[in-house]
Amino acid sequence: MMLTILAIDDSRTIREMLRETLRNAGFDVHVAVDGLDGLEKLHDIAPDVIITDINMPRLDGFGVIEAVRAGTSHAALPILVLTTESAPDLKERARKSGATGWIVKPFDDAKLVSAIKRIAAH
């Protein structure tokens, strides 16, 4: 079964790297430029996993996590935070908001793919 991934990041470079890495791993990849764009696309593509940055314009990653968790249709969707941030308090806040996992940029392709497969299996 091909997994569908929604990757939300305001960096074009990161979006392209994610698209390339995840497509090569056999995933169906959709990208969004910020949190609001991601939430708009969420209903159209019904992803198996969301990957989101934390620091973005319009709506940050915490806003994305909270909005997804507050909804009914995608409340249990695995959400992976992909960010340059590594502060323990931010990780804790993300976990409390409902993030499934946390990966620090720059990401290792193999680790990212294995993390996605691991959380999507639940």
Side-chain angles (χ1 to χ4, degrees), residues 70-91:
T72 50
S73 51
H74 303 288
L77 199 61
I79 301 174
L80 202 54
V81 174
L82 180 69
T83 180
T84 52
E85 303 287 347
S86 59
D89 58 318
L90 288 177
K91 281 189 189 177

Side-chain angles (χ1 to χ4, degrees), residues 88-104:
D89 58 318
L90 288 177
K91 281 189 189 177
E92 179 66 13
R93 182 176 164 202
R95 198 178 58 72
K96 282 189 171 149
S97 298
T100 314
W102 184 283
I103 292 183
V104 177

Side-chain angles (χ1 to χ4, degrees), residues 8-43:
I8 309 170
D9 201 301
D10 59 326
S11 160
R12 174 175 293 170
T13 308
I14 295 290
R15 286 195 308 271
E16 291 308 316
M17 284 169 60
L18 284 168
R19 191 193 311 257
E20 182 77 12
T21 298
L22 300 176
R23 281 208 173 134
N24 288 342
F27 299 132
D28 178 23
V29 186
H30 299 263
V31 295
V33 298
D34 62 33
L36 285 180
D37 186 34
L39 290 178
E40 284 166 13
K41 291 180 174 172
L42 177 62
H43 301 290

Side-chain angles (χ1 to χ4, degrees), residues 6 8-9 32 34-39 42 50-54 56-71 79-80 97:
L6 174 58
I8 309 170
D9 201 301
D34 62 33
L36 285 180
D37 186 34
L39 290 178
L42 177 62
I50 294 174
I51 299 173
T52 184
D53 188 15
I54 288 291
M56 297 181 289
R58 298 205 306 158
L59 183 66
D60 69 7
F62 295 119
V64 170
I65 296 166
E66 286 158 10
V68 171
R69 292 293 177 247
I79 301 174
L80 202 54
S97 298

